[in-house]
Amino acid sequence: MSKWSKKNRPPTGYEYIQPVMDALESELRERMNEPHEGKRQCEALWPVHQINWQRSRYVYDMWHKYQRISREVYDFCVRRKLVDANLVAKWKKPGYERLCSTFAINTKNYNYGTVSICRVPRQQLSEGQQVQEKHSGCRGCASGPGGCHNIFGNKYGQYLARIQIAREEAAKKKGVKEETQPQVWATEQEEEQYESGAEEKKRKRDEPANDSGSDDSSSGGESDSDEEEEETKEEDAPSKKKQKADE
């Protein structure tokens, strides 16, 4: 046995994300083995950039946003080059939450010291203008309202972490046991829901309603307790009068 076997052994908790990571790896092999006839040379490498982005995003969301994996699992993925650490570091900065690649913001790669056109907000583009980055196929990764929810426009599963969490919560509510081989890729309905941002809007609408409901319940509990106190006072009053009369 090699002396490095223990170092490369995945830590506890990696089995939670392993099905998705294996599916992305097999998807990358299939895409690279496809014939490249009729494609530009840069388009042949789009699957590499896109699946690298999705794999990094999935692990990052599971660790940073949903806390479903430990820091040890995240560091293991970084050491094994399963996650693009430089890209994740940019996602933590404001304005780069949906950055497609570090290549797109390197001013040395473009004329006149600018960045890729996919970084231009959609509001500043002309009406009906469609853009696509040459090296990764990004359609627009600028942050803020109006940006593309699916920056690559493909079926690689831009929201694998969110969809997996939503499926787990739905299964808990229904009381259904988890599948032995869970579905990895998103269905068409899930893609449409998450691309349009309907899930985020619904969650934001539900949060104020839950807060108001809790406030109403607490105020209702206080009113009930006040009524009970008044009733006990009224019941105690006649008994006190009788005691005074006897004295």
Side-chain angles (χ1 to χ4, degrees), residues 120-140:
V120 179
R122 185 172 293 183
Q123 298 87 340
Q124 298 182 11
L125 297 174
S126 59
E127 186 176 358
Q129 182 180 1
Q130 299 292 333
V131 299
Q132 197 165 28
E133 211 274 327
K134 177 181 178 182
H135 299 88
S136 63
C138 176
R139 303 184 303 168

Side-chain angles (χ1 to χ4, degrees), residues 188-238:
E188 293 183 359
Q189 294 180 353
E190 290 172 335
E191 282 286 341
E192 293 176 357
Q193 179 182 7
Y194 286 94
E195 285 179 14
S196 61
E199 185 266 345
E200 289 290 337
K201 294 178 182 178
K202 182 180 179 182
R203 183 174 58 82
K204 291 180 180 179
R205 286 199 307 267
D206 294 341
E207 286 178 354
N210 295 334
D211 296 340
S212 61
S214 60
D215 295 340
D216 294 341
S217 61
S218 61
S219 61
E222 292 176 359
S223 61
D224 294 340
S225 60
D226 293 337
E227 291 177 0
E228 291 177 357
E229 290 178 359
E230 291 178 359
E231 290 177 358
T232 54
K233 288 180 181 179
E234 291 176 358
E235 292 175 358
D236 295 337

